[in-house]
Amino acid sequence: DDYDDTQLAVAPDRVYGRIPVEWGFDPVRVRYWHYRAAVNRGAMLVESGRAQEAVEELEFLRRTQPNHPDERYLLIDLAAARSAMDEPEVALKILEEILAKTPGAADAHYLYAIILVRQGRLEEAGKRFEETMRSLCYRGGYTATAGDGAGALGNRIAAAVIAAGRTDGANEAEH
């Protein structure tokens, strides 16, 4: 067996996994694995509606292992948990902390925009979404649908999805 059954952890892909035996008890690798497992557990708690529990666990991890190389992922999940607890301003401050260190963090820009939309701050959300697209190297004003390029293909797909959404019975025009 290639795994040590005594060290079960949640794998980065959010399914149960085991630490490979060849890692042995290398403290750096095992510490990294357990950190990622704890962060992913926090994300699962948020997704299952247990945001308060997620905040407690993620804050504990943040206090006990400051400046971890993967701290950004912990902070993203912590911001999502704070937002789920109707604490959007706290969530936005956490995201600003991430963006101060990593300005191109698309996941942080995206979550920031979502929180702004939930607050009805649509103009700010639009600007944040444009920043997200720029951080991913997309041209915001590119609207061409003709041609074989990836942008044109994406625009044709988006147009088809929008058109289908107009007749799917969701009544977007009334909301």
Side-chain angles (χ1 to χ4, degrees), residues 3-4 12 17 19 21 32 35 40 50 78 94 101 123 125 129 137 147 156 173:
Y3 293 93
D4 178 356
I19 296 174
V21 166
Y32 170 80
Y35 184 91
N40 288 329
R50 295 163 56 192
L78 184 57
I94 293 168
K101 294 178 184 175
E123 188 173 319
F129 184 71
C137 298
R156 288 193 300 273

Side-chain angles (χ1 to χ4, degrees), residues 2 48 133:
D2 291 337
S48 65
M133 299 306 281

Side-chain angles (χ1 to χ4, degrees), residues 22-40:
E22 65 267 14
W23 286 14
F25 287 100
D26 174 357
V28 173
R29 291 176 107 177
V30 170
R31 180 174 173 235
Y32 170 80
W33 184 275
H34 286 288
Y35 184 91
R36 289 301 303 233
V39 169
N40 288 329

